[in-house]
Amino acid sequence: MTVSSAASSPSAAFNPLDLSHTDDPYPRLAALRRERPVSTPLPGWHVLVRDADVRAVLADPALWSSRRNNTSVPDTPDADRELALSQLDPPAHTRLRRLLSPAFARTVVAELEPVVREQAEALADRFEQGVDIDLVAAFTAPLPRAVLAEFCGVDESDAADHDRWAGTFTDLLGHRAHPEWPAFERWALRSTEKPVLRGVLEQLDRTEAVTFLHFLIVAGVPNLRHALGNLVLRLLSEGRWRAEGLAEAIEESLRLDPPALWQMRTATRDTTMAGTPVRAGERVVAVVASANRDPARWGEDADAFRPDRPGLRAHLAFGKGPHACLGASLTRLQLRMAAEVLIERYPKLRLAPGFRFRRAGDFMSRGPAALPVHLE
């Protein structure tokens, strides 16, 4: 697909496939919210930037399909077993989510708190006082991989392989062509025979179980890395490097700097969105990062970091509707534990002089590629 170049006006379009638009998307998105709530940067692609429109799309899977976004899989019931949770529509999505939900219940996630803290402390133990390090490479990238391995009950003999897969698997499409896939699939099939994930895997057929374990990596590891990097950067930049009010600061960071910028859906029938015709089969890009800063929802100071903001948990960083993030509680736990450990160990942590944000992530995600910090 050819990616069109940006026009000179910020409000001309937001092209989700143009990295020059997504490196710093917020000025362009603000202009679009004011002037063009629905734009069409590519033929058959419509971009929604206002909170009300984004919420409406995410809440209505009958009109806005997730399954049809995956054009590489045949439209047959058998193909559903090879689709990740985020790629399914009801009733297949409803069935699978019901089976998976017990593994992510808040009571289950709460039991992981000492595990997450232990992993965060083990990484922090490797730091040397008084030096500069890249916190992404040393902490925010390896932590979600280590926590996922604990969550999945990875044996010590498989730990190095799992860590490598968690660092290289980033895409739900074409993953079976990845050179590491055969080894991962063999491990995943062995895992279905072990009492991990609260008995969830034994309720799935083998193909579904392998797909789910792969989905955990792709959905959980990169987004947690970006969310944690964004949180640390936000706390340091705003002078909020303290444990007090941390839970609220995490929610405000997720609102302002969601790790996933947008979600895609496909119209199942002809309709309109904010007065713009959308034909069946056309794509809609619901820009969560824009909705989270919409003054119509969040007030005129929507771009400001305000952890005392009312109703913070209504942000869309975890989505909305039937596809709302199943692992939201686990993500929040990891963000809180990681920040607490770093703040306890290094209360005077600061960004290295001359820091400039350099973006990591694909077209859909955004976080710091590096976080050079000084340890004190």
Side-chain angles (χ1 to χ4, degrees):
M1 180 179 294
T2 301
V3 177
S4 62
S5 60
S8 58
S9 169
S11 62
F14 172 79
N15 186 340
L17 303 184
D18 188 337
L19 289 177
S20 71
H21 290 205
T22 56
D23 277 344
D24 182 15
Y26 296 106
R28 182 182 296 270
L29 293 171
L32 283 172
R33 283 196 304 270
R34 293 189 300 268
E35 302 166 21
R36 298 179 64 197
V38 182
S39 58
T40 306
L42 299 164
W45 287 47
H46 306 284
V47 173
L48 310 181
V49 293
R50 292 184 180 174
D51 176 86
D53 296 334
V54 170
R55 288 178 188 272
V57 165
L58 298 184
D60 189 354
L63 178 54
W64 306 105
S65 170
S66 296
R67 191 184 193 284
R68 290 172 178 81
N69 297 331
N70 188 355
T71 56
S72 67
V73 175
D75 191 14
T76 65
D78 287 344
D80 286 350
R81 295 183 302 115
E82 297 188 2
L83 291 176
L85 189 65
S86 63
Q87 299 169 309
L88 293 171
D89 288 333
H93 175 270
T94 307
R95 167 192 163 269
L96 189 58
R97 184 166 179 125
R98 184 177 64 251
L99 293 175
L100 298 175
S101 292
F104 296 90
R106 289 187 180 182
T107 53
V108 175
V109 169
E111 294 174 4
L112 288 172
E113 182 167 329
V115 173
V116 177
R117 175 173 285 276
E118 180 182 356
Q119 294 295 333
E121 289 178 340
L123 290 170
D125 285 343
R126 302 175 187 175
F127 301 169
E128 294 184 27
Q129 191 88 15
V131 301
D132 290 354
I133 65 167
D134 174 13
L135 206 62
V136 169
F139 192 83
T140 72
L143 179 62
R145 301 199 303 264
V147 171
L148 181 62
E150 293 285 346
F151 183 68
C152 292
V154 176
D155 293 335
E156 186 175 346
S157 60
D158 295 316
D161 288 336
H162 188 274
D163 190 67
R164 186 173 66 256
W165 299 328
T168 58
F169 289 165
T170 59
D171 201 333
L172 290 174
L173 298 179
H175 52 278
R176 285 173 174 77
H178 194 286
E180 292 276 3
W181 180 258
F184 171 80
E185 187 172 36
R186 287 192 296 271
W187 167 80
L189 288 171
R190 293 198 309 272
S191 296
T192 64
E193 301 168 357
K194 297 193 304 182
V196 297
L197 293 174
R198 297 279 169 169
V200 162
L201 296 182
E202 65 189 19
Q203 300 184 65
L204 311 180
D205 72 29
R206 288 164 70 84
T207 300
E208 287 177 329
V210 172
T211 299
F212 170 58
L213 289 169
H214 176 253
F215 176 65
L216 283 181
I217 288 176
V218 174
V221 173
N223 279 338
L224 198 284
R225 167 193 165 175
H226 298 322
L228 183 52
N230 289 339
L231 172 64
V232 171
L233 178 57
R234 179 64 66 173
L235 293 177
L236 292 175
S237 301
E238 300 284 349
R240 296 289 301 236
W241 191 248
R242 56 182 181 270
E244 179 187 359
L246 184 58
E248 294 77 15
I250 287 171
E251 298 302 324
E252 183 71 334
S253 176
L254 287 167
R255 182 187 71 84
L256 282 172
D257 306 301
L261 297 174
W262 49 270
Q263 297 185 28
M264 184 188 289
R265 299 291 189 269
T266 304
T268 60
R269 63 178 185 271
D270 291 354
T271 186
T272 60
M273 179 53 68
T276 299
V278 180
R279 302 295 185 189
E282 292 186 335
R283 308 299 175 89
V284 164
V285 176
V287 187
V288 167
S290 178
N292 276 355
R293 295 185 180 217
D294 188 347
R297 174 88 189 195
W298 300 103
E300 292 305 313
D301 65 346
D303 286 323
F305 181 74
R306 227 189 79 199
D308 63 346
R309 192 182 301 275
L312 261 181
R313 283 205 172 209
H315 64 72
L316 295 174
F318 294 120
K320 181 179 174 60
H323 281 284
C325 178
L326 188 61
S329 294
L330 181 56
T331 297
R332 287 183 167 109
L333 174 67
Q334 291 185 74
L335 292 174
R336 179 170 60 85
M337 288 290 96
E340 284 181 359
V341 166
L342 289 176
I343 292 169
E344 288 169 6
R345 296 288 186 90
Y346 300 101
K348 296 182 180 180
L349 186 81
R350 65 178 187 270
L351 290 169
F355 169 79
R356 294 183 63 183
F357 180 88
R358 182 167 53 87
R359 176 261 185 89
D362 56 16
F363 296 111
M364 294 182 67
S365 58
R366 186 173 185 270
L371 266 180
V373 296
H374 184 72
L375 302 173
E376 284 189 40

